[in-house]
């Protein structure tokens, strides 16, 4: 099998760094949320996490030994006043021949910006573009590839619609302005990054093939609505310059003249995070939302209980190609992976990754332009509201001592990279 893609690993700042009060870092919404009783499992916080902030050289050495081409990490907006850590990280990666692929926003909004309205406020989009320019001013001599936002759908849905993530608002459909302001932030940041020499800019959307619960009209209609929220709300404006019809109507005058042109700034690639398909049916009469998520039966599940459907990755990518046609840029799978039980004998993860890489190969064979695949994640880490209970790493982390122990999947990936299996 020869899919010929760049192979990498992915992480995010709040999930691994720790050092939340060091070197000028200001509080983020995740500091506030995780320190609020009842918000995260067992009250876990990212205060220390994997202590990557102090153990970065060791983690870069792990990546070098793994043999990855690239490392997708995120820059903490709360560290904007002192980017020295990322300066050192970028240098360490380049010394080891690993291409840096930073994401500028992976959910850790500075609390001070949330206090002024967060993503409900249009001004946050402008502030994000300034921050993007500031980071590129510092790192842009060595970093030419950027991801603007990670999974803006999840940040809107869990952070502002359901309240299960920071900042913890439960506004249901009232959260929709968060989508537009994140998209506007993306568009303005693309311009700021290009002005500073960026050669590859993308956004990372998490997408999920939607499986209607039945052929009934009501289930089909609910599935189409869900598809519009998860798969089209953030892809249509970026790729086509328009919102799905009913969402455009709901957004009303949140969208101003010129916004969609900014949001549609040409992209060099689209980042896609894939974990599983979603089965959707019609909601009960008294439901708050216009769809109902149902379990997918008869397939294995991860430790998180997520269904394992590798063919969904191929179906998703072929579906995107069919939907967007020539408007679809090359694709990077910027996250794919699974949580497993604690331990280093993780045959489950090896089988998961192998099956998904085969599905990627199938998508490439079907004509989808796939350029990269990033495993989520290098390290076991802070899994948001689930705290440290869900382990996604190729490398086990002992959260008491910080000790790293490569798992079987790490050795499998290393061997498969060394064998040239994924090279053109
Ligand atoms: O840990 C998260 C990551 O932050 C975003 N994508 C999904 C991962 C697993 O839930």
């Amino acid at each position: 099998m020869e899919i010929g893609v760049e192979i990498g690993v992915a992480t995010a700042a709040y999930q691994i760094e720790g050092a939340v009060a060091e070197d000028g870092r200001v509080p983020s919404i995740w500091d506030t949320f995780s320190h609020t009783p009842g918000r995260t499992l067992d009250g876990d916080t990212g205060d220390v996490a994997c202590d990557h902030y102090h153990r970065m050289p060791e983690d870069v050495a792990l990546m070098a030994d793994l043999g990855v081409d690239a490392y997708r990490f995120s820059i903490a907006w709360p560290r904007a006043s002192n980017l020295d850590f990322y300066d050192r990280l970028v240098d360490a990666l380049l010394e080891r021949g690993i291409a840096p692929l930073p994401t500028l926003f992976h959910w850790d909004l500075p609390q001070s910006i949330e206090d002024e309205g967060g993503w409900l406020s249009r001004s946050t989009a402008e502030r994000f573009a300034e921050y993007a320019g500031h980071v590129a001013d510092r790192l842009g001599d060595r970093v030419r590839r950027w991801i603007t936002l990670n999974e803006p759908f999840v940040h809107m849905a869990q952070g502002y619609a359901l309240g299960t993530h920071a900042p913890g608002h439960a506004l249901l459909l009232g959260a929709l302005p968060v989508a537009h302001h994140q998209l506007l932030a993306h568009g303005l940041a693309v311009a700021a990054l290009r002005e500073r020499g960026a050669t590859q800019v993308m956004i990372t959307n998490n997408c999920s093939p939607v499986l209607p619960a039945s052929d009934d009209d009501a289930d089909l209609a609910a599935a189409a609505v869900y598809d519009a929220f998860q798969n089209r709300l953030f892809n249509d404006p970026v790729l086509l310059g328009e919102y799905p019809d009913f969402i455009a109507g709901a957004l009303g005058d949140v969208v101003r003249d010129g916004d969609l042109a900014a949001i549609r700034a040409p992209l060099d690639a689209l980042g896609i995070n894939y974990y599983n398909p979603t089965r959707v049916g019609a909601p009960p009469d008294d439901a708050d939302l216009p769809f109902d998520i149902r379990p997918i039966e008869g397939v294995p599940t991860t430790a998180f209980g997520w269904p394992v459907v590798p063919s969904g990755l191929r179906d998703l990518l072929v579906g995107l190609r069919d939907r967007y046609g020539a408007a679809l840029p090359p694709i990077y799978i910027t996250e794919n992976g699974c949580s497993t039980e604690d331990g280093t004998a993780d045959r489950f993860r090896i089988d998961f990754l192998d099956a998904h890489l085969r599905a990627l190969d199938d998508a490439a064979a079907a004509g989808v332009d796939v350029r990269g695949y990033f495993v989520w994640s290098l390290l076991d880490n802070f899994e948001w509201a689930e705290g440290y209970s869900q382990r996604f790493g190729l490398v086990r982390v002992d959260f008491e001592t910080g000790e790293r122990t490569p798992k079987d999947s790490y050795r499998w990936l290393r061997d498969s990279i060394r064998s040239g299996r994924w090279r053109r």
Side-chain angles (χ1 to χ4, degrees):
M1 182 163 53
E2 288 285 323
I3 58 177
V5 299
E6 184 176 35
I7 297 285
V9 285
T11 65
Y14 189 74
Q15 294 182 270
I16 65 166
E17 285 179 1
V20 291
E22 286 184 42
D23 298 334
R25 181 186 180 278
V26 296
S28 80
I29 56 173
W30 270 98
D31 298 295
T32 308
F33 190 80
S34 66
H35 280 272
T36 304
R39 291 301 210 170
T40 63
L41 192 69
D42 298 330
D44 287 346
T45 74
D47 288 2
V48 178
C50 307
D51 199 24
H52 171 74
Y53 195 81
H54 299 116
R55 291 173 171 263
M56 180 269 283
E58 178 183 354
D59 294 336
V60 172
L62 279 165
M63 284 185 260
D65 183 48
L66 185 56
V68 288
D69 303 304
Y71 175 41
R72 175 180 178 233
F73 57 98
S74 82
I75 292 177
W77 193 345
R79 294 196 198 278
S81 69
N82 181 350
L83 296 170
D84 290 358
F85 170 74
Y86 301 108
D87 200 58
R88 294 196 301 274
L89 171 61
V90 164
D91 283 346
L93 291 169
L94 293 173
E95 273 166 27
R96 301 293 200 127
I98 301 169
L101 181 55
T103 301
L104 286 162
F105 181 67
H106 197 126
W107 306 347
D108 46 357
L109 190 73
Q111 181 62 46
S112 58
I113 298 182
E114 167 62 18
D115 293 342
E116 292 170 27
W119 289 110
L120 289 163
S121 166
R122 185 179 174 92
S123 63
T124 299
E126 285 138 22
R127 294 172 82 160
F128 179 75
E130 284 162 24
Y131 153 70
H134 168 68
V135 176
D137 282 340
R138 178 70 186 270
L139 303 179
D141 56 333
R142 287 151 290 156
V143 177
R144 298 275 198 285
R145 309 164 71 194
W146 303 91
I147 296 174
T148 54
L149 308 177
N150 177 72
E151 300 184 3
F153 171 72
V154 176
H155 191 53
M156 175 198 73
Q158 299 221 46
Y160 289 80
L162 303 174
T164 48
H165 277 187
H169 301 302
L171 303 171
L172 297 172
L173 296 181
L176 266 179
V178 170
H180 184 67
H181 296 146
Q182 287 186 93
L183 282 162
L184 183 60
H186 158 80
L188 298 176
V190 172
L193 294 168
R194 295 238 186 268
E195 278 167 23
R196 291 162 175 86
T199 56
Q200 188 186 66
V201 185
M202 57 179 128
I203 185 171
T204 278
N205 287 330
N206 69 312
C207 295
S208 175
V210 175
L211 312 174
S214 79
D215 288 339
D216 289 354
D217 286 350
D219 285 339
L220 292 173
V225 169
Y226 185 81
D227 185 50
F229 277 114
Q230 173 145 14
N231 297 318
R232 296 181 54 204
L233 172 54
F234 293 92
N235 283 327
D236 284 16
V238 159
L239 300 178
L240 305 176
E242 63 192 26
Y243 282 106
D245 280 350
F246 75 94
I247 292 176
L251 278 167
D253 59 11
V254 170
V255 182
R256 297 193 192 160
D257 285 351
D259 285 1
L260 283 163
I263 290 168
R264 196 191 186 177
L267 292 180
D268 308 289
L270 179 66
I272 295 289
N273 292 355
Y274 172 73
Y275 287 92
N276 50 257
T278 308
R279 187 162 169 265
V280 177
D285 286 343
D286 57 349
D288 291 324
L289 292 171
F291 48 77
D292 186 42
I293 309 242
R294 311 269 174 85
I296 295 176
E297 314 281 0
V299 297
T301 53
T302 71
F304 221 147
W306 295 356
V308 178
V309 187
S311 61
L313 178 55
R314 177 203 175 276
D315 296 346
L316 170 67
L317 297 182
V318 169
L320 287 171
R321 198 264 323 270
D322 292 347
R323 177 176 286 162
Y324 295 108
L328 186 71
I331 301 265
Y332 283 74
I333 303 303
T334 39
E335 286 180 28
N336 176 239
C338 58
S339 65
T340 54
E341 302 305 329
D342 191 9
T344 56
D346 58 344
R347 182 79 231 173
F348 188 94
R349 176 169 290 102
I350 294 172
D351 292 342
F352 182 101
L353 297 176
D354 189 53
H356 284 79
L357 278 158
R358 286 173 193 277
L360 202 60
D361 200 28
D362 291 344
V368 180
D369 186 355
V370 182
R371 303 280 176 92
Y373 176 89
F374 289 73
V375 177
W376 184 269
S377 182
L378 173 68
L379 303 170
D380 290 342
N381 59 51
F382 176 77
E383 178 54 25
W384 308 113
E386 303 304 322
Y388 296 98
S389 68
Q390 297 300 325
R391 292 177 173 267
F392 278 87
L394 295 165
V395 175
R396 180 178 187 275
V397 175
D398 179 326
F399 292 108
E400 297 296 317
T401 64
E403 186 187 3
R404 276 82 164 129
T405 311
K407 301 181 188 179
D408 289 350
S409 58
Y410 173 98
R411 284 180 283 276
W412 172 84
L413 185 61
R414 182 182 61 189
D415 292 347
S416 106
I417 292 172
R418 282 184 186 166
S419 75
R421 179 177 173 184
W422 315 118
R423 302 271 169 232
R424 276 187 210 287

